[in-house]
């Protein structure tokens, strides 16, 4: 429908191997994101997830005769907010159209959507792809074609009864934003990074919860292949992919399938396909010939939406700090690109980090959050929302290191204890005698004993100063790891080298 323009320079790093030569993937995504709002797009029924079947259905959602849709202003506001968050053009006039088709879970017989005049026009999403082995990210700009508002349909259930199908209309009429990318994506990693970034922007904005497992966000994935830098190929569209991992698998399968066909001299039929996550393959659903004619026309029950500048500016002024801005700020505050990118990649990471970093060194905090906490959560298969260690507790551990009460090494043990048993880090250190020995008398006694027992080593250290590490190790062992390493080093230098 829209004119295809290639804005990318072919990058061999992205090429996909074939039998004869390398290929370039071209990917465009249509993401459906459920608007965060209490009520549906054109009715007052609740949008709560997991409610009893058909309990959130108004007469409008059930399409009873004579019912009229009334626009939910909050959904409009959320769509404008999302457009601004993608640095997109807000169209001051947009129109709702009827997209006509029959389906048992669509009682109206049409979906209200926006085809010709969407609420949001062109925008950009800046994506960080990576990190590579050197910890570096590549920055890629992916164009957004448009964002429009539309209604979700109900859900048919074919597995509840041997001879009957049922329909649940709870989702019928829920507001969706369809966010259509330009065909600017060139690899599986870029596609994943794009969806991850889009989801994170939506979560920062609070305009969609981004929960793909609950169906709040899902993607139609358009894939074609071509000779690097050549003309765009014919695309296939894989419908309704509901996880980032599945999307990667679907693109990979689809790219291989298309390349095989082309390398055998065949051609690609434009068609709609479905991804089967169990068999990890895509299957044809309908070809272009079977495509519906939706007979779009403006919905006569709804007036066009019209905004003035003041409305748009008021929403712009309410925007929170977005991931790109936060990332730049974190880097200004001394974090590496790697740390900053990881921390902003998920709103919950950034929120947690900022709570701990308040009044503490940001680099040390970033290390603990990324390496220790996220590492441990990852290993345990948990996410940050149900972390066994609160920001307050992690902050407590960091404070104890800063105050020289415990060494970095003991801090790792303390982290384990708090993770497994909970409790106040300072109290644990006190109760279990984990505090560092800073009493120089006790450390000196240990050092004297070790020096006396190892005159040969003492001679060695005088030759090769680096060998002092051996003594540090001995003293630490003798004090159960609790000696203050700084004090140990100073005392050793004094005693061995005078
Ligand atoms: P339609 O409305 O028929 O689905 P659009 O022009 O709106 O067509 O495009 C839908 C999606 O397909 C967009 O995300 C677009 O970027 C993508 N797309 C278009 N052409 C190609 C192509 N040759 N290869 C991959 N994706 C494509
Ligand atoms: Mg499409």
């Amino acid at each position: 429908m829209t004119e295809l323009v290639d804005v990318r320079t072919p990058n061999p790093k992205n090429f996909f191997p074939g039998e004869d030569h390398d290929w370039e993937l071209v990917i465009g995504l249509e993401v459906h994101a459920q608007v965060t709002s209490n009520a549906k797009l054109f009715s007052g029924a609740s949008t709560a997830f997991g409610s009893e079947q058909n309990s959130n259905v108004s007469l409008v959602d059930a399409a009873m005769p004579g019912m009229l849709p009334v626009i939910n202003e909050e959904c409009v506001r959320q769509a404008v907010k999302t457009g601004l968050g993608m640095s997109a053009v807000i169209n001051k006039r947009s129109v709702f159209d009827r997209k006509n088709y029959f389906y048992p879970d669509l009682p109206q017989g049409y979906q209200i959507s926006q085809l010709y005049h969407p609420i949001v026009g062109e925008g950009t999403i800046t994506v960080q792809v990576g990190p590579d082995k050197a910890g570096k990210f590549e920055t890629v700009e992916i164009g957004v074609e448009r964002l429009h508002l539309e209604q979700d349909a109900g859900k048919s259930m074919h597995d509840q009864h041997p001879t009957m199908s049922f329909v649940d209309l709870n989702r019928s009429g829920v507001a969706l934003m369809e966010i259509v990318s330009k065909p600017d994506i060139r690899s599986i990693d870029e596609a994943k990074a794009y969806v991850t970034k889009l989801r994170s922007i939506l979560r920062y904005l609070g305009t969609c919860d981004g929960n793909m497992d609950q169906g709040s966000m899902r993607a139609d994935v358009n894939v074609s292949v071509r000779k690097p830098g050549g003309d765009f190929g014919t695309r296939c569209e894989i419908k309704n992919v509901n996880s980032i991992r599945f999307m990667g698998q679907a693109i990979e399968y689809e790219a291989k399938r298309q390349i095989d066909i082309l390398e055998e001299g065949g051609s690609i039929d434009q068609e709609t396909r479905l991804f089967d996550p169990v068999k990890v393959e895509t299957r044809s659903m309908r070809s272009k010939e079977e495509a519906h004619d939706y007979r779009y026309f403006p919905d006569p029950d709804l007036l066009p939406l019209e905004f003035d500048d003041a409305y748009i500016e008021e929403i712009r002024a309410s925007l929170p700090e977005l991931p790109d801005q936060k990332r730049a700020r974190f880097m200004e505050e001394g974090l590496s690109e790697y740390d900053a990118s990881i921390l902003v990649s998920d709103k919950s990471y950034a929120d947690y980090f900022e709570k701990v970093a308040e009044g503490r060194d940001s680099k040390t905090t970033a290390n603990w959050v990324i390496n220790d906490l996220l590492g441990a959560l990852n290993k345990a298969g948990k996410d940050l929302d149900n972390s066994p260690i609160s920001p307050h507790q992690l902050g407590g551990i960091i404070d104890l290191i800063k105050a020289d009460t415990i060494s970095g090494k003991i801090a790792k043990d303390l982290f384990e204890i708090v993770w497994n048993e909970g409790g106040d880090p300072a109290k644990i250190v006190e109760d279990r005698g984990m505090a560092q020995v800073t009493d120089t008398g006790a450390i000196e006694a240990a050092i004297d004993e070790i020096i006396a027992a190892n005159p040969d080593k003492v001679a060695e250290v005088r030759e090769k100063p680096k060998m002092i590490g051996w003594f540090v190790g001995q003293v630490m062992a003798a004090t159960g790891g609790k000696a203050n390493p700084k004090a140990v080093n100073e005392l050793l230098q004094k005693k061995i080298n005078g």
Side-chain angles (χ1 to χ4, degrees):
M1 229 189 64
T2 32
E3 197 195 335
L4 297 183
V5 183
D6 193 356
V7 296
R8 302 286 305 273
T9 313
N11 180 350
K13 203 185 98 229
N14 292 332
F15 292 172
F16 199 93
E19 279 287 313
D20 304 343
H21 58 82
D22 282 347
W23 294 81
E24 198 178 9
L25 304 193
V26 174
I27 302 161
L29 299 173
E30 297 162 87
V31 171
H32 288 91
Q34 180 179 328
V35 175
T36 299
S37 67
N38 293 327
K40 296 182 182 180
L41 184 54
F42 299 114
S43 85
S46 163
T47 57
F49 178 80
S51 307
E52 194 196 331
Q53 284 144 12
N54 291 309
S55 61
N56 298 335
V57 186
S58 77
L59 297 172
V60 176
D61 310 320
M64 289 296 151
M67 293 299 111
L68 289 172
V70 177
I71 186 77
N72 177 345
E73 267 185 58
E74 176 61 13
C75 297
V76 173
R77 210 187 147 75
Q78 293 285 58
V80 172
K81 202 170 184 184
T82 305
L84 293 171
M86 304 187 304
S87 320
V89 175
I90 306 302
N91 291 326
K92 288 195 207 158
R93 184 174 189 278
S94 63
V95 180
F96 287 105
D97 299 302
R98 289 188 182 177
K99 179 182 183 180
N100 298 280
Y101 63 97
F102 171 80
Y103 208 75
D105 62 20
L106 186 76
Q108 284 173 157
Y110 56 84
Q111 177 195 30
I112 305 178
S113 180
Q114 299 186 305
L115 180 65
Y116 303 106
H117 304 284
I119 185 166
V120 174
E122 293 187 350
T124 310
I125 292 184
T126 305
V127 165
Q128 272 79 38
V129 189
D132 63 12
K133 287 193 193 88
K136 285 277 159 221
F137 289 81
E138 185 199 358
T139 299
V140 181
E141 308 244 297
I142 307 293
V144 169
E145 182 68 43
R146 57 189 276 150
L147 174 158
H148 65 255
L149 276 170
E150 63 183 28
Q151 302 175 296
D152 204 352
K155 191 170 113 196
S156 296
M157 291 171 293
H158 306 293
D159 55 358
Q160 314 271 307
H161 190 278
T163 60
M164 285 192 277
S165 285
F166 294 99
V167 175
D168 175 9
L169 293 182
N170 278 353
R171 291 193 74 97
S172 170
V174 165
L176 301 179
M177 297 179 280
E178 178 168 336
I179 301 160
V180 183
S181 87
K182 300 199 173 196
D184 291 352
I185 301 166
R186 293 288 175 274
S187 70
I188 295 171
D189 284 345
E190 286 185 8
K192 289 181 168 176
Y194 171 84
V195 176
T196 306
K197 184 61 173 285
L198 177 58
R199 181 175 60 182
S200 127
I201 291 172
L202 295 170
R203 284 180 169 162
Y204 274 73
L205 290 167
T207 56
C208 167
D209 66 26
N211 295 336
M212 296 185 86
D213 51 350
Q214 296 183 355
S216 302
M217 203 175 140
R218 45 195 199 261
D220 296 344
V221 185
N222 294 271
V223 181
S224 66
V225 301
R226 65 176 181 183
K227 294 191 174 156
D231 292 338
F232 283 116
T234 304
R235 72 183 151 116
C236 289
E237 176 173 355
I238 310 155
K239 278 277 171 202
N240 262 328
V241 182
N242 65 359
S243 90
I244 292 178
R245 189 165 65 92
F246 291 164
M247 180 181 70
Q249 293 174 337
I251 297 171
E252 179 163 10
Y253 179 88
E254 190 55 26
K256 283 187 181 144
R257 187 187 73 83
Q258 293 182 14
I259 289 170
D260 282 351
I261 293 173
L262 293 171
E263 290 192 337
E264 278 167 24
S267 60
I268 305 301
D269 294 328
Q270 187 176 337
E271 60 182 359
T272 306
R273 300 179 68 88
L274 272 185
F275 177 66
D276 179 338
V278 179
K279 294 192 176 151
V280 196
E281 62 181 32
T282 64
R283 274 199 301 276
S284 182
M285 202 171 125
R286 56 175 185 259
S287 72
K288 200 182 179 191
E289 287 72 49
E290 296 164 73
H292 301 276
D293 173 3
Y294 292 116
R295 294 173 295 119
Y296 275 99
F297 65 89
D299 191 309
D301 292 339
L302 289 158
L303 288 168
L305 294 175
E306 286 181 353
F307 313 135
D308 55 18
D309 288 325
Y311 174 77
I312 298 171
E313 290 317 311
E314 183 243 307
I315 296 176
R316 194 193 305 279
S318 78
L319 293 181
E321 185 182 43
L322 289 167
D324 289 338
Q325 298 163 326
K326 207 183 266 290
R327 183 168 169 276
R329 176 166 65 79
F330 283 176
M331 286 169 71
E332 261 164 41
E333 288 168 4
L335 295 191
S336 65
E337 182 193 29
Y338 177 85
D339 287 356
S341 301
I342 301 284
L343 290 172
V344 302
S345 67
D346 191 313
K347 183 166 185 293
S348 67
Y349 298 176
D351 288 349
Y352 191 104
F353 166 77
E354 292 201 272
K355 273 186 207 144
V356 183
E358 174 109 52
R360 300 190 178 92
D361 177 63
S362 54
K363 180 70 199 147
T364 311
T365 305
N367 283 343
W368 277 92
V369 172
I370 296 172
N371 301 332
D372 298 277
L373 184 61
L374 293 180
L377 289 166
N378 192 17
K379 229 195 225 154
K382 288 186 193 231
D383 53 29
L384 200 52
D385 295 330
N386 36 52
S387 164
I389 299 189
S390 70
H392 186 71
Q393 287 169 314
L394 186 60
I397 296 175
I398 296 172
D399 290 344
L400 291 164
I401 307 169
K402 176 91 202 294
D404 269 339
T405 311
I406 54 172
S407 66
K409 198 174 153 296
I410 294 289
K412 306 277 173 189
D413 300 338
L414 178 58
F415 180 90
E416 286 250 344
I417 296 170
V418 178
W419 173 281
N420 290 319
E421 303 167 29
D424 171 36
K427 185 155 189 312
I428 294 172
V429 165
E430 202 184 311
D431 290 352
R432 306 193 190 186
M434 291 167 77
Q436 265 179 156
V437 179
T438 36
D439 167 8
T440 43
I443 298 174
E444 266 191 274
I447 291 178
D448 289 343
E449 209 168 299
I450 293 162
I451 287 180
N454 298 282
D456 48 335
K457 292 275 181 194
V458 174
E460 248 180 87
V461 173
R462 288 192 179 129
E463 295 273 295
K464 279 194 248 159
K466 267 196 183 156
M467 293 291 294
I468 199 138
W470 182 85
F471 277 94
V472 176
Q474 294 296 305
V475 180
M476 292 310 264
T479 55
K482 286 187 290 188
N484 179 334
K486 212 168 115 221
V488 173
N489 263 301
E490 279 169 11
L491 285 168
L492 275 170
Q493 292 292 357
K494 206 164 76 191
K495 294 209 178 251
I496 293 177
N497 297 319

